[in-house]
Amino acid sequence: MARHVKAQSGFTLLEVLLAIALFAVLSLLTSQLLTATVNSNEATKQHQQRFAALVRAVNLLDKDVWQSVPLTALEGEKSRLMLTTASNNDMPDICCAPDLQRVEWSFKNHTLYRAIWRYPEDEQPSITQPVLTEVNAFTLRYYLKDAVVTTLAPDQYPRAIEAGIDTNGSGTITRLLLLPEKRSNGGTP
């Protein structure tokens, strides 16, 4: 009697298990790659936001120093600066903000603050806002005609201010800010 051997139709159990194992390994690798990509994207966004905040802070400090006017004495210490500026765009919520305002930069509790007095003769600031967080140090040095000092006397007017901002992750950013020449007899800088 002749035996008829049927042709195999379908997969063996071993082939199915091998395919499932291969699919599982590929799925695991793909999920790890996707997770790494998402984490990298989040870290990049955080660094970008941090850098943008640092650039804004330095540009704002530069603008305040450049627009300073010697109406009141410039008060300078190692990590605090107070000056009068000819700026009127820092108070968008207040109608008709004055052209002259007093601005103070200070460092407290790992945060760089900027306080604004609406009028130079006011006792208390109108606005105090944190400009930059996660700051390790904010240092100021004042370049006089013949010396570099960390504290200004009331009669001293520096030619430039060196500002150093030490932040977590970015290191120390140092910027040399030139002041307009001291105006005398109502002249221009």
Side-chain angles (χ1 to χ4, degrees), residues 31-152:
S31 69
Q32 287 179 347
L33 180 63
L34 182 61
T35 302
T37 302
V38 169
N39 291 343
S40 175
N41 188 30
E42 289 299 319
T44 302
K45 282 182 184 178
Q46 288 176 355
H47 286 296
Q48 183 181 13
Q49 290 170 349
R50 183 78 179 138
F51 184 71
L54 182 59
V55 168
R56 278 193 304 274
V58 170
N59 286 342
L60 191 56
L61 178 61
D62 190 25
K63 180 188 79 122
D64 283 346
V65 169
W66 179 248
Q67 292 179 341
S68 68
V69 292
L71 179 66
T72 58
L74 191 141
E75 297 176 34
E77 298 169 8
K78 187 174 181 179
S79 60
R80 181 183 159 273
L81 172 67
M82 183 179 285
L83 46 86
T84 302
T85 66
S87 174
N88 63 358
N89 60 358
D90 293 331
M91 297 185 183
D93 297 337
I94 300 174
C95 173
C96 311
D99 289 336
L100 293 176
Q101 60 191 18
R102 206 164 32 144
V103 177
E104 177 189 47
W105 287 82
S106 60
F107 173 67
K108 245 190 299 193
N109 300 327
H110 298 284
T111 302
L112 184 59
Y113 290 95
R114 181 175 183 255
I116 302 168
W117 282 256
R118 185 171 177 195
Y119 300 101
E121 64 275 0
D122 284 351
E123 293 291 324
Q124 297 294 321
S126 304
I127 298 173
T128 300
Q129 57 193 15
V131 178
L132 194 61
T133 58
E134 298 179 28
V135 177
N136 297 326
F138 175 61
T139 56
L140 297 163
R141 294 184 346 152
Y142 305 94
Y143 288 75
L144 304 175
K145 183 176 182 178
D146 54 358
V148 177
V149 297
T150 57
T151 303
L152 288 175

